[in-house]
Amino acid sequence: MKIKYFVVTAAMVLLLSGCATFLAPLNFSVPNVGLSQKKIDADMKSLIVTIARPDEKTGDIPAAIAVTFPQLWQTALTESINRMAIFQDDATKKINLSVKILKLEVPTAGASMTTDVAARYEIMDRKTGDMIFAQDISSSGVVPFDYAFKGLVRARESINRAIQNNITQFLQALEMVDVQKPMFPAKVAAK
């Protein structure tokens, strides 16, 4: 009887441990970023990621993410830009890159989890104030039901994928930037 009880208990432990899925960390790092074939003749002096003001938002942004997400996003974006080696450190033109998170709609329940993200990327010439690049980028991260048993694990992975996809789209757009042709030249006061 004790052996039968032990076998059943061992089988249950193995079965339940197989269903346990550990909560993956938030990781916005973009995989497989390669060296850029194009170099931008500018030195990036600062990069900042912030949450949009209420009048700028295009969707929900949970208050709980306002503390950690911008820092994680900034770290992942910095890492990607460094791996691309697209900017030139010795360039005379100095630029700022700012990212404003406009929307981060996280799934609350469901079999398949989808997170929708929107962010505004802006590159500004520090000397002239010219807006060299300005674009709102929207992306999604979809995680199917068979990814993990726990919904929280699927939801977190959908956040990771949505932000990674957003950064990837920006990196692709960045290769088309021409710092000599700003999108919105700064208005200079008449003398």
Side-chain angles (χ1 to χ4, degrees), residues 109-131:
S112 165
M113 299 284 189
T114 302
T115 296
D116 294 314
V117 173
R120 178 170 298 136
Y121 292 82
E122 296 178 334
I123 299 175
M124 186 179 82
D125 185 319
R126 291 170 64 101
K127 184 176 183 179
T128 65
D130 290 346
M131 188 64 63

PDB file of all heavy atoms in Angstrom, residues 109-131:
ATOM      1  N   ALA A 109      -6.735  38.869 -20.095  1.00  0.00           N
ATOM      2  CA  ALA A 109      -7.123  37.460 -20.115  1.00  0.00           C
ATOM      3  C   ALA A 109      -7.248  37.005 -21.563  1.00  0.00           C
ATOM      4  O   ALA A 109      -7.304  37.820 -22.479  1.00  0.00           O
ATOM      5  CB  ALA A 109      -8.454  37.259 -19.396  1.00  0.00           C
ATOM      6  N   GLY A 110      -7.268  35.699 -21.744  1.00  0.00           N
ATOM      7  CA  GLY A 110      -7.452  35.156 -23.070  1.00  0.00           C
ATOM      8  C   GLY A 110      -6.535  33.985 -23.328  1.00  0.00           C
ATOM      9  O   GLY A 110      -5.551  33.783 -22.626  1.00  0.00           O
ATOM     10  N   ALA A 111      -6.875  33.225 -24.329  1.00  0.00           N
ATOM     11  CA  ALA A 111      -6.036  32.085 -24.708  1.00  0.00           C
ATOM     12  C   ALA A 111      -4.777  32.600 -25.385  1.00  0.00           C
ATOM     13  O   ALA A 111      -3.664  32.344 -24.962  1.00  0.00           O
ATOM     14  CB  ALA A 111      -6.808  31.149 -25.626  1.00  0.00           C
ATOM     15  N   SER A 112      -4.963  33.370 -26.435  1.00  0.00           N
ATOM     16  CA  SER A 112      -3.851  34.009 -27.131  1.00  0.00           C
ATOM     17  C   SER A 112      -3.732  35.414 -26.543  1.00  0.00           C
ATOM     18  O   SER A 112      -4.731  36.091 -26.334  1.00  0.00           O
ATOM     19  CB  SER A 112      -4.169  34.069 -28.621  1.00  0.00           C
ATOM     20  OG  SER A 112      -3.320  34.948 -29.277  1.00  0.00           O
ATOM     21  N   MET A 113      -2.523  35.846 -26.239  1.00  0.00           N
ATOM     22  CA  MET A 113      -2.329  37.164 -25.621  1.00  0.00           C
ATOM     23  C   MET A 113      -1.703  38.117 -26.627  1.00  0.00           C
ATOM     24  O   MET A 113      -0.716  37.779 -27.289  1.00  0.00           O
ATOM     25  CB  MET A 113      -1.398  37.056 -24.406  1.00  0.00           C
ATOM     26  CG  MET A 113      -1.917  36.170 -23.308  1.00  0.00           C
ATOM     27  SD  MET A 113      -3.214  37.008 -22.400  1.00  0.00           S
ATOM     28  CE  MET A 113      -3.441  35.875 -21.054  1.00  0.00           C
ATOM     29  N   THR A 114      -2.288  39.321 -26.741  1.00  0.00           N
ATOM     30  CA  THR A 114      -1.783  40.342 -27.656  1.00  0.00           C
ATOM     31  C   THR A 114      -1.601  41.647 -26.904  1.00  0.00           C
ATOM     32  O   THR A 114      -2.519  42.122 -26.246  1.00  0.00           O
ATOM     33  CB  THR A 114      -2.756  40.568 -28.829  1.00  0.00           C
ATOM     34  OG1 THR A 114      -2.953  39.334 -29.510  1.00  0.00           O
ATOM     35  CG2 THR A 114      -2.216  41.606 -29.795  1.00  0.00           C
ATOM     36  N   THR A 115      -0.409  42.211 -27.008  1.00  0.00           N
ATOM     37  CA  THR A 115      -0.117  43.530 -26.451  1.00  0.00           C
ATOM     38  C   THR A 115       0.073  44.485 -27.621  1.00  0.00           C
ATOM     39  O   THR A 115       0.770  44.173 -28.581  1.00  0.00           O
ATOM     40  CB  THR A 115       1.178  43.502 -25.600  1.00  0.00           C
ATOM     41  OG1 THR A 115       0.975  42.635 -24.483  1.00  0.00           O
ATOM     42  CG2 THR A 115       1.544  44.884 -25.096  1.00  0.00           C
ATOM     43  N   ASP A 116      -0.580  45.649 -27.529  1.00  0.00           N
ATOM     44  CA  ASP A 116      -0.444  46.687 -28.553  1.00  0.00           C
ATOM     45  C   ASP A 116       0.336  47.859 -27.970  1.00  0.00           C
ATOM     46  O   ASP A 116       0.047  48.320 -26.864  1.00  0.00           O
ATOM     47  CB  ASP A 116      -1.821  47.166 -29.028  1.00  0.00           C
ATOM     48  CG  ASP A 116      -2.578  46.081 -29.767  1.00  0.00           C
ATOM     49  OD1 ASP A 116      -1.966  45.429 -30.629  1.00  0.00           O
ATOM     50  OD2 ASP A 116      -3.769  45.882 -29.474  1.00  0.00           O
ATOM     51  N   VAL A 117       1.324  48.333 -28.737  1.00  0.00           N
ATOM     52  CA  VAL A 117       2.223  49.401 -28.291  1.00  0.00           C
ATOM     53  C   VAL A 117       2.303  50.471 -29.371  1.00  0.00           C
ATOM     54  O   VAL A 117       2.286  50.157 -30.560  1.00  0.00           O
ATOM     55  CB  VAL A 117       3.640  48.833 -28.035  1.00  0.00           C
ATOM     56  CG1 VAL A 117       4.622  49.937 -27.735  1.00  0.00           C
ATOM     57  CG2 VAL A 117       3.623  47.830 -26.915  1.00  0.00           C
ATOM     58  N   ALA A 118       2.403  51.716 -28.950  1.00  0.00           N
ATOM     59  CA  ALA A 118       2.687  52.819 -29.867  1.00  0.00           C
ATOM     60  C   ALA A 118       3.681  53.747 -29.177  1.00  0.00           C
ATOM     61  O   ALA A 118       3.577  53.990 -27.969  1.00  0.00           O
ATOM     62  CB  ALA A 118       1.416  53.575 -30.240  1.00  0.00           C
ATOM     63  N   ALA A 119       4.646  54.233 -29.941  1.00  0.00           N
ATOM     64  CA  ALA A 119       5.651  55.151 -29.403  1.00  0.00           C
ATOM     65  C   ALA A 119       6.032  56.170 -30.465  1.00  0.00           C
ATOM     66  O   ALA A 119       6.026  55.868 -31.654  1.00  0.00           O
ATOM     67  CB  ALA A 119       6.886  54.385 -28.943  1.00  0.00           C
ATOM     68  N   ARG A 120       6.351  57.365 -30.007  1.00  0.00           N
ATOM     69  CA  ARG A 120       6.806  58.436 -30.912  1.00  0.00           C
ATOM     70  C   ARG A 120       8.318  58.559 -30.767  1.00  0.00           C
ATOM     71  O   ARG A 120       8.837  58.797 -29.681  1.00  0.00           O
ATOM     72  CB  ARG A 120       6.146  59.756 -30.548  1.00  0.00           C
ATOM     73  CG  ARG A 120       6.603  60.924 -31.394  1.00  0.00           C
ATOM     74  CD  ARG A 120       5.758  62.165 -31.158  1.00  0.00           C
ATOM     75  NE  ARG A 120       4.397  61.859 -31.544  1.00  0.00           N
ATOM     76  CZ  ARG A 120       3.324  62.206 -30.813  1.00  0.00           C
ATOM     77  NH1 ARG A 120       3.461  62.864 -29.687  1.00  0.00           N
ATOM     78  NH2 ARG A 120       2.108  61.885 -31.237  1.00  0.00           N
ATOM     79  N   TYR A 121       9.011  58.412 -31.886  1.00  0.00           N
ATOM     80  CA  TYR A 121      10.467  58.530 -31.928  1.00  0.00           C
ATOM     81  C   TYR A 121      10.804  59.866 -32.583  1.00  0.00           C
ATOM     82  O   TYR A 121      10.287  60.176 -33.662  1.00  0.00           O
ATOM     83  CB  TYR A 121      11.084  57.398 -32.750  1.00  0.00           C
ATOM     84  CG  TYR A 121      10.954  56.037 -32.105  1.00  0.00           C
ATOM     85  CD1 TYR A 121       9.786  55.295 -32.216  1.00  0.00           C
ATOM     86  CD2 TYR A 121      12.014  55.485 -31.385  1.00  0.00           C
ATOM     87  CE1 TYR A 121       9.670  54.044 -31.632  1.00  0.00           C
ATOM     88  CE2 TYR A 121      11.914  54.231 -30.796  1.00  0.00           C
ATOM     89  CZ  TYR A 121      10.736  53.516 -30.923  1.00  0.00           C
ATOM     90  OH  TYR A 121      10.620  52.270 -30.341  1.00  0.00           O
ATOM     91  N   GLU A 122      11.665  60.640 -31.945  1.00  0.00           N
ATOM     92  CA  GLU A 122      12.079  61.932 -32.486  1.00  0.00           C
ATOM     93  C   GLU A 122      13.591  62.092 -32.358  1.00  0.00           C
ATOM     94  O   GLU A 122      14.163  61.814 -31.292  1.00  0.00           O
ATOM     95  CB  GLU A 122      11.397  63.087 -31.741  1.00  0.00           C
ATOM     96  CG  GLU A 122       9.896  63.100 -31.903  1.00  0.00           C
ATOM     97  CD  GLU A 122       9.223  64.220 -31.135  1.00  0.00           C
ATOM     98  OE1 GLU A 122       9.773  64.683 -30.119  1.00  0.00           O
ATOM     99  OE2 GLU A 122       8.129  64.624 -31.559  1.00  0.00           O
ATOM    100  N   ILE A 123      14.205  62.537 -33.441  1.00  0.00           N
ATOM    101  CA  ILE A 123      15.632  62.845 -33.437  1.00  0.00           C
ATOM    102  C   ILE A 123      15.762  64.336 -33.725  1.00  0.00           C
ATOM    103  O   ILE A 123      15.251  64.824 -34.737  1.00  0.00           O
ATOM    104  CB  ILE A 123      16.401  62.030 -34.501  1.00  0.00           C
ATOM    105  CG1 ILE A 123      16.268  60.535 -34.213  1.00  0.00           C
ATOM    106  CG2 ILE A 123      17.869  62.458 -34.535  1.00  0.00           C
ATOM    107  CD1 ILE A 123      16.880  59.641 -35.276  1.00  0.00           C
ATOM    108  N   MET A 124      16.443  65.043 -32.817  1.00  0.00           N
ATOM    109  CA  MET A 124      16.569  66.486 -32.938  1.00  0.00           C
ATOM    110  C   MET A 124      18.040  66.893 -32.975  1.00  0.00           C
ATOM    111  O   MET A 124      18.864  66.352 -32.229  1.00  0.00           O
ATOM    112  CB  MET A 124      15.887  67.165 -31.750  1.00  0.00           C
ATOM    113  CG  MET A 124      15.839  68.671 -31.868  1.00  0.00           C
ATOM    114  SD  MET A 124      15.006  69.439 -30.471  1.00  0.00           S
ATOM    115  CE  MET A 124      16.338  69.458 -29.293  1.00  0.00           C
ATOM    116  N   ASP A 125      18.349  67.839 -33.847  1.00  0.00           N
ATOM    117  CA  ASP A 125      19.684  68.428 -33.915  1.00  0.00           C
ATOM    118  C   ASP A 125      19.842  69.342 -32.699  1.00  0.00           C
ATOM    119  O   ASP A 125      19.070  70.277 -32.502  1.00  0.00           O
ATOM    120  CB  ASP A 125      19.827  69.226 -35.217  1.00  0.00           C
ATOM    121  CG  ASP A 125      21.221  69.778 -35.426  1.00  0.00           C
ATOM    122  OD1 ASP A 125      21.842  70.259 -34.447  1.00  0.00           O
ATOM    123  OD2 ASP A 125      21.696  69.737 -36.572  1.00  0.00           O
ATOM    124  N   ARG A 126      20.836  69.078 -31.881  1.00  0.00           N
ATOM    125  CA  ARG A 126      21.023  69.837 -30.644  1.00  0.00           C
ATOM    126  C   ARG A 126      21.400  71.300 -30.897  1.00  0.00           C
ATOM    127  O   ARG A 126      21.066  72.177 -30.106  1.00  0.00           O
ATOM    128  CB  ARG A 126      22.115  69.190 -29.786  1.00  0.00           C
ATOM    129  CG  ARG A 126      21.716  67.865 -29.214  1.00  0.00           C
ATOM    130  CD  ARG A 126      22.897  67.148 -28.592  1.00  0.00           C
ATOM    131  NE  ARG A 126      23.465  67.830 -27.454  1.00  0.00           N
ATOM    132  CZ  ARG A 126      23.238  67.502 -26.182  1.00  0.00           C
ATOM    133  NH1 ARG A 126      22.447  66.494 -25.899  1.00  0.00           N
ATOM    134  NH2 ARG A 126      23.820  68.167 -25.223  1.00  0.00           N
ATOM    135  N   LYS A 127      22.076  71.574 -31.985  1.00  0.00           N
ATOM    136  CA  LYS A 127      22.545  72.939 -32.259  1.00  0.00           C
ATOM    137  C   LYS A 127      21.449  73.799 -32.876  1.00  0.00           C
ATOM    138  O   LYS A 127      21.228  74.936 -32.464  1.00  0.00           O
ATOM    139  CB  LYS A 127      23.759  72.892 -33.185  1.00  0.00           C
ATOM    140  CG  LYS A 127      24.371  74.242 -33.453  1.00  0.00           C
ATOM    141  CD  LYS A 127      25.621  74.098 -34.286  1.00  0.00           C
ATOM    142  CE  LYS A 127      26.280  75.450 -34.500  1.00  0.00           C
ATOM    143  NZ  LYS A 127      27.506  75.321 -35.291  1.00  0.00           N
ATOM    144  N   THR A 128      20.766  73.267 -33.884  1.00  0.00           N
ATOM    145  CA  THR A 128      19.801  74.073 -34.633  1.00  0.00           C
ATOM    146  C   THR A 128      18.356  73.910 -34.160  1.00  0.00           C
ATOM    147  O   THR A 128      17.516  74.743 -34.459  1.00  0.00           O
ATOM    148  CB  THR A 128      19.843  73.708 -36.126  1.00  0.00           C
ATOM    149  OG1 THR A 128      19.405  72.345 -36.279  1.00  0.00           O
ATOM    150  CG2 THR A 128      21.232  73.896 -36.695  1.00  0.00           C
ATOM    151  N   GLY A 129      18.065  72.821 -33.475  1.00  0.00           N
ATOM    152  CA  GLY A 129      16.688  72.557 -33.070  1.00  0.00           C
ATOM    153  C   GLY A 129      15.872  71.887 -34.167  1.00  0.00           C
ATOM    154  O   GLY A 129      14.682  71.633 -34.004  1.00  0.00           O
ATOM    155  N   ASP A 130      16.508  71.595 -35.323  1.00  0.00           N
ATOM    156  CA  ASP A 130      15.803  70.922 -36.418  1.00  0.00           C
ATOM    157  C   ASP A 130      15.327  69.547 -35.963  1.00  0.00           C
ATOM    158  O   ASP A 130      16.067  68.809 -35.307  1.00  0.00           O
ATOM    159  CB  ASP A 130      16.720  70.718 -37.627  1.00  0.00           C
ATOM    160  CG  ASP A 130      17.068  72.013 -38.342  1.00  0.00           C
ATOM    161  OD1 ASP A 130      16.404  73.035 -38.089  1.00  0.00           O
ATOM    162  OD2 ASP A 130      18.021  71.991 -39.151  1.00  0.00           O
ATOM    163  N   MET A 131      14.095  69.208 -36.332  1.00  0.00           N
ATOM    164  CA  MET A 131      13.578  67.872 -36.085  1.00  0.00           C
ATOM    165  C   MET A 131      13.978  67.025 -37.294  1.00  0.00           C
ATOM    166  O   MET A 131      13.400  67.134 -38.366  1.00  0.00           O
ATOM    167  CB  MET A 131      12.055  67.887 -35.918  1.00  0.00           C
ATOM    168  CG  MET A 131      11.485  66.562 -35.466  1.00  0.00           C
ATOM    169  SD  MET A 131      12.018  66.035 -33.832  1.00  0.00           S
ATOM    170  CE  MET A 131      11.341  67.319 -32.803  1.00  0.00           C
TER     171      MET A 131
END
